[in-house]
């Protein structure tokens, strides 16, 4: 059995999917996973399909060196409007997502309530090849593969707002630290003035 970087609570229904030593660029996979984390599974699937069709773009937030600016990246508020359409990496992540959804279905989970609670990408050991350089030298020519893991969970129902006057936020405002300290303070002595 493989280990995941986090083990979700067994009481919460979830489904997992992972791929190891996948021959897709690590940096591309990291940016895709970072963007889809927290999305509903159906929305993420549509986003990945749109990226493959170049109707949507993956915003690059961390690995931005040499990434060109694209007008489409403004839709996602990408820093510096930087983004790309990594087709191969998107296809791999889409396959992992569909596998996780299928795993959830087999567990009897509600597919409409699924969201990506955990998406992580790690570097895998590089595939080493060689290239031939000038003056009879040899240079390294390494690929940067990735380990990808996804965990889907069911979105829980929202909690109704309390209508009583008890509780901290019942009156629609938070109690400051100073006010809380004043409430804890016990007045000692009762000298009449």
């Amino acid at each position: 059995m493989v280990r995941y970087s986090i083990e979700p609570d067994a009481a919460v229904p979830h489904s997992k999917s992972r791929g190891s030593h996948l021959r897709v660029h690590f940096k591309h996979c990291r940016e895709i996973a970072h963007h889809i984390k927290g999305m509903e599974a159906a929305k993420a699937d549509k986003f990945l399909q749109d990226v493959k069709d170049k109707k949507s773009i993956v915003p690059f937030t961390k690995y931005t060196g040499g990434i060109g600016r694209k007008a489409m990246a403004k839709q996602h508020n990408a820093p510096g409007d930087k983004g790309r359409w990594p087709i191969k990496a998107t296809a791999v992540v889409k396959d992992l997502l569909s596998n996780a959804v299928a795993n959830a279905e087999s567990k009897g989970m509600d597919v409409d309530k699924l969201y990506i609670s955990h998406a992580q990408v790690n570097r895998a050991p590089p595939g080493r090849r060689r290239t031939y350089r000038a003056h009879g030298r040899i240079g390294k020519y390494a690929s940067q593969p990735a380990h990808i893991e996804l965990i889907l969970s069911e979105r829980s129902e929202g909690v109704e707002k309390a209508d009583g006057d008890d509780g901290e936020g019942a009156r629609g405002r938070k109690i400051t630290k100073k006010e809380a300290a004043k409430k804890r303070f016990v007045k000692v002595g009762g000298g009449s003035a």
Side-chain angles (χ1 to χ4, degrees), residues 15-189:
S15 71
K16 303 178 194 174
S17 177
R18 68 177 285 150
S20 297
H21 303 283
L22 301 172
R23 190 125 184 227
V24 282
H25 293 320
F26 158 74
K27 292 180 180 182
H28 291 177
C29 294
R30 184 266 168 202
E31 298 293 355
I32 294 167
H34 177 74
H35 188 66
I36 65 170
K37 185 179 177 183
M39 272 190 196
E40 276 85 30
K43 186 179 174 187
D45 191 57
K46 185 182 182 318
F47 169 74
L48 294 171
Q49 185 57 50
D50 285 349
V51 170
K52 283 173 72 174
D53 299 338
K54 295 199 174 181
K55 292 178 185 170
S56 189
I57 196 166
V58 176
F60 275 55
T61 56
K62 185 174 182 181
Y63 298 107
T64 56
I67 305 291
R69 295 181 298 190
K70 312 283 189 300
M72 199 184 277
K74 292 177 185 176
Q75 296 168 1
H76 302 293
N77 293 326
D81 301 333
K82 293 185 175 187
R84 276 186 177 173
W85 300 274
I87 303 292
K88 187 176 173 183
T90 303
V92 169
V93 174
K94 191 175 186 313
D95 286 347
L96 280 174
L97 180 61
S98 63
N99 181 243
V101 170
N103 291 344
E105 269 185 271
S106 67
K107 284 184 169 184
M109 294 166 65
D110 186 3
V111 179
D112 298 330
K113 290 184 180 178
L114 290 178
Y115 78 102
I116 301 168
S117 58
H118 173 75
Q120 181 174 315
V121 179
N122 295 329
R123 281 184 198 272
R128 291 188 174 87
R129 291 185 291 167
R130 65 203 310 200
T131 186
Y132 301 94
R133 310 303 298 265
H135 309 295
R137 291 174 302 152
I138 286 173
K140 64 183 174 68
Y141 205 70
S143 65
Q144 300 295 329
H147 303 310
I148 308 172
E149 58 185 52
L150 299 175
I151 298 179
L152 305 184
S153 304
E154 280 187 356
R155 183 86 65 190
S156 59
E157 295 298 320
V159 179
E160 294 295 319
K161 187 174 180 181
D163 43 323
D165 279 345
D166 54 335
E168 181 178 291
R171 286 177 298 282
R173 71 179 193 77
K174 278 189 162 180
I175 298 172
T176 63
K177 285 184 179 179
K178 194 171 185 178
E179 287 172 341
K182 280 182 183 176
K183 285 184 178 180
R184 284 195 305 270
F185 182 71
V186 179
K187 200 169 188 180
V188 180

